Amino acid sequence: TRMTVRNSTLVAPRGRWWSPLGADERLWVTVTVVWALSMFAMMQLIWPRIGDVQTTIRSYRVDPAEYGRITEAFIAEHQVGEAGGNPVVEPPPGSAVYVQAAQFQFRPNLRLRRGQTYTLHISSLDVQHGFSLQPDNVNFQVLPGYVTQIDLTPREAGAYTLLCNEYCGTGHHLMLGGIEVVE
């Protein structure tokens, strides 16, 4: 025998099964579309012009071993001290600054001048890490084989903490770095 299936989602209903939107449905669809377009316009046109809320991130490929050599040469040229076994460097304002992330440290610690702009280059030598600059709340991913580059202009003197915010292994909670901003 043949089975007849009625009112099933597997079989298309016969005749006109839909009806036009009601007034209340048209209202909510209109509100949703207007809201979505307004948010898109604000994100693209208004918010970037109101303040410095957009960090421009540039990236390029690099061999991790080569990046390690570049960072070590940068440290040798600009080292002014040591903090907790990690070198402290003070590069000239306007220069390129190289930081490497590796399990479980950021190397080197930085001493920067308030109000001066530096081009920060950061890459990982081993696994994916996160870069979180606190208290300024600058966040991005650090990947092996890629350099992430941002322009950094410290506005206030003081101590800033670099945190890894991407789980990178058993010592992840110890992965800290520092930036000292001086007058």
Side-chain angles (χ1 to χ4, degrees), residues 105-121:
Q105 70 174 348
F106 290 102
R107 178 179 163 83
N109 287 352
L110 305 173
R111 184 177 299 151
L112 305 177
R113 299 276 172 198
R114 184 180 70 79
Q116 300 296 316
T117 300
Y118 300 85
T119 303
L120 178 66
H121 300 253

Side-chain angles (χ1 to χ4, degrees), residues 13-65:
R14 290 193 176 113
R16 184 171 166 203
W17 54 270
W18 59 273
S19 60
L21 293 176
D24 57 339
E25 293 170 316
R26 279 195 304 273
L27 171 68
W28 284 111
V29 168
T30 302
V31 167
T32 302
V33 169
V34 168
W35 182 256
L37 291 174
S38 299
M39 293 301 292
F40 178 79
M42 282 191 272
M43 287 189 301
Q44 297 299 318
L45 304 173
I46 298 169
W47 289 335
R49 288 169 178 76
I50 299 176
D52 293 331
V53 294
Q54 304 290 329
T55 302
T56 302
I57 296 175
R58 299 169 301 276
S59 66
Y60 56 91
R61 292 185 66 78
V62 70
D63 175 53

